Each structure stands twice: as C-alpha cells, then as structure tokens.
Amino acid sequence: MRAVGISGLLFLVTFFGACGAAASSFPEETACPAPSPVATSRANPGTISAQAYLRRLQEAAVALEKLRAELRVEYPEDTFYRREEFRPDFAEYASQTVCAAQAMFELAPPDARFSAHDAKVDAALTDLIAHTRAGREAVRSRNVSDYRDWYSGVDARIAAVRLAASEGSP
C-alpha cells in the first residue's frame, strides 16, 4: 500500500511540476519571414516604383494598427492580465509587430529623393521595435509597471510610424 502511495505522490509531483514548467514558459521571439518584393517601375525595369514603395509603407503601417487593435479587442484595459493565454498571446503580438516593422525597415527607397523620408520612417520603426521588445520583456518577466509603460506608449509609437509612412514623397 505504501508503494502505491509513494508512486502516486511521485506521479502528482511529476504531473504538477510539468504543468508549472509549461505555464511559466514564455515563447521566444519568432524569426521573421523574408519580406515580399516590391513592384518595380514599368518605365525603368528593375527600379522600385515610388508609388509601390509608398503604398507598401502605408499598408504596413495599417497592418501595425490592425495588430494593435486585435490585441486591444482581446485585452482592452491597462491591466496585466492574469489569464493563462495572455502571455503567449502578447508574445505572438510582439513577434508579429516586430516582423511587420522590420519588413518596413528593410524596404529600400526607390531613389535618393526619398532619403529624408526613409530616415523618418526608420527612426519611428526603430523606436516602435525597441518599445515592443520592452513590452515583451515586461510580460515575460511579469513586470506590471513596465507593462503599463508599454501600454501607455504603444499607440503613440504606432501613430508615429503611420505619420512618417504617410507623409508621402519628397
């Protein structure tokens, strides 16, 4: 009888220990896929079309806003949610946001006329990526104060990307 009790206890310790390990794990940041190519100019084959470049930036900025809106629908308040699915959901949001921002960052401008525009977009993206990674770390480490800092600044950073992307051609 005692052997059954010990084996049962070992089973419970193993079972609940494994559950605790699974619950405390946090997904790694996912690798970003290679961005799709941008349309080239019909007049100058091989040259990126200025319209396609600007449209791609604007569409990507809208995608960033959509990712944020989807997270807000699921988790609408400035609260570090205790629900089990919050942490992996946030990790996924952060990975998708970083990948979308990096794809925008890697988008080469069509020519030198876009250098200043590209620099503004890149600065806004760099800030958004750093802020998103800080939010990800706050959620990973369960730091509520840092999460609130992320929450209070994320919308402004996404708006800055949208503004920089939509300022148009030089």
Side-chain angles (χ1 to χ4, degrees), residues 105 116-129 157 160-161 164:
F105 193 82
H117 179 258
D118 191 55
K120 286 180 187 176
V121 171
D122 287 355
L125 290 168
T126 299
D127 187 38
L128 175 62
I129 290 169
R157 284 169 172 85
V161 169

Side-chain angles (χ1 to χ4, degrees), residues 44-164:
N44 298 318
T47 304
I48 295 174
S49 161
Q51 293 82 6
Y53 166 76
L54 293 171
R55 185 174 49 252
R56 176 70 63 88
L57 285 177
Q58 291 166 5
E59 288 170 354
V62 169
L64 289 170
E65 291 172 333
K66 184 179 176 193
L67 287 169
R68 178 69 185 109
E70 289 169 355
L71 185 69
R72 184 179 285 117
V73 165
E74 190 67 28
Y75 305 100
E77 299 168 3
D78 179 12
T79 302
F80 190 94
Y81 291 84
R82 302 289 181 209
R83 293 191 323 224
E84 185 177 318
E85 59 275 350
F86 172 69
R87 295 176 77 237
D89 286 353
F90 190 90
E92 180 65 21
Y93 160 79
S95 289
Q96 289 179 2
T97 298
V98 167
C99 286
Q102 284 180 340
M104 288 177 76
F105 193 82
E106 293 171 8
L107 187 60
D111 58 54
R113 294 176 299 150
F114 289 85
S115 295
H117 179 258
D118 191 55
K120 286 180 187 176
V121 171
D122 287 355
L125 290 168
T126 299
D127 187 38
L128 175 62
I129 290 169
H131 189 72
T132 301
R133 286 184 169 144
R136 186 181 200 293
E137 176 57 24
V139 171
R140 187 199 65 75
S141 64
R142 294 180 167 97
N143 187 318
V144 176
S145 296
D146 287 349
Y147 173 79
R148 286 191 180 132
D149 288 344
W150 170 82
Y151 188 94
S152 68
V154 64
D155 293 326
R157 284 169 172 85
I158 292 171
V161 169
R162 176 72 184 262
L163 178 64

